[in-house]
Amino acid sequence: MQQETRIAPSILSADFANLGAEVRAITEAGADYVHVDVMDGHFVPNLTIGPGVVKALRPHSALTFDVHLMISPVDIFVPAFAEAGADIITVHPEAGPHVHRTLQLIKTLGKKAGISLNPGTPVEAVDPVLDLLDLVLVMSVNPGFGGQAFIPGVLRKIEALRRRIDDSGRDIDLEVDGGINAETARDAVAAGADVLVAGTATFQGGASAYAENIRTLRGGS
């Protein structure tokens, strides 16, 4: 069943010189999750942060740390991010030879497990591992950079995943990441998403604007 819309600001769009303050600010502004995009310059064409930054940020917020690993091979890094303070660890099926084993590893570390589907990854990729999942992340852009435009065709994928999740009877977040703004947020929620990752749309305008930005994304005025 689709849950209340939750907002997960992506710190990829935050002020990297003041990340601790930025995480505190989005926490105070009413964010639900802190979304951490981890990129290795190999699996995706960008470099971001490692587990040391997650560990440094952990004391700044009690919110769920939603850590999206866009790295390959991924298994060797999962324990480090778990130890650093990740609450949800999301991986791509293409990031290792045995995604079922990777998800099992995340669960054995006491963390929630997610799988991320790129625009070119079929919905069917979730079917063999649905029983291990706490989150399905739909990429509505090709991963690697913030500020890209939402790919409208992804809405059909969100609808198909909503049906799969509801049919499973399991409590699984359906998250969407990429090009989320006030308009695309409404479209994604209407298609069945219940967690929205938003970088630029959250962090624009500085800390004094974050609460209103989050309220707008959530569907408020």
Side-chain angles (χ1 to χ4, degrees), residues 84-156:
D87 297 299
I88 306 169
I89 298 177
T90 299
V91 299
H92 288 252
E94 301 91 348
H98 306 293
V99 68
H100 190 281
R101 179 185 292 164
T102 304
L103 295 169
Q104 285 181 316
L105 171 61
I106 295 168
K107 302 289 272 191
T108 62
L109 294 168
K111 306 301 180 179
K112 291 186 175 182
I115 195 167
S116 181
L117 304 184
N118 286 334
T121 304
V123 170
E124 289 78 12
V126 306
D127 291 344
V129 296
L130 200 60
D131 61 321
L132 288 171
L133 295 177
D134 301 288
L135 179 146
V136 177
L137 170 56
V138 179
M139 293 302 300
S140 41
V141 299
N142 284 293
F145 299 95
Q148 299 184 70
F150 187 93
I151 299 171
V154 167
L155 293 171
R156 292 191 298 275

Side-chain angles (χ1 to χ4, degrees), residues 196-209:
L196 304 175
V197 177
T200 304
T202 297
F203 287 100
Q204 62 188 357
S208 63

